[in-house]
Amino acid sequence: MPNEVGIDGIQRLIHAGAQLIEILPAREYSEEHLPGAINIPLKSLTEDSVSDLDRAQPTVVYCWDYQ
């Protein structure tokens, strides 16, 4: 079940081994992303595109929008 978390919660999840998924397009991902994040653009987010993720680990899905 998705949950919105603040920066403190994200930091705790990262330290606990959470998977980071950046959903911006590949070009924007290549310009800047959090260390360790993988890129799955939102338009490509499907059951197949996330099949390699570890379902036993927490997953943080985020995007960085300068606007």
Side-chain angles (χ1 to χ4, degrees):
M1 177 61 80
N3 294 312
E4 186 174 330
V5 295
I7 190 71
D8 292 336
I10 290 172
Q11 288 174 334
R12 282 192 297 277
L13 287 168
I14 291 171
H15 290 297
Q19 304 165 106
L20 297 173
I21 310 298
E22 165 67 74
I23 61 170
L24 284 176
R27 187 186 113 261
E28 294 176 46
Y29 170 83
S30 69
E31 292 172 2
E32 186 174 6
H33 59 272
L34 294 174
I38 64 170
N39 181 230
I40 304 176
L42 183 58
K43 291 182 179 182
S44 302
L45 198 60
T46 65
E47 188 173 337
D48 287 339
S49 68
V50 298
S51 63
D52 289 336
L53 296 176
D54 183 348
R55 292 182 183 261
Q57 291 295 324
T59 302
V60 175
V61 178
Y62 74 95
C63 73
W64 180 256
D65 189 347
Y66 293 102
Q67 298 178 5

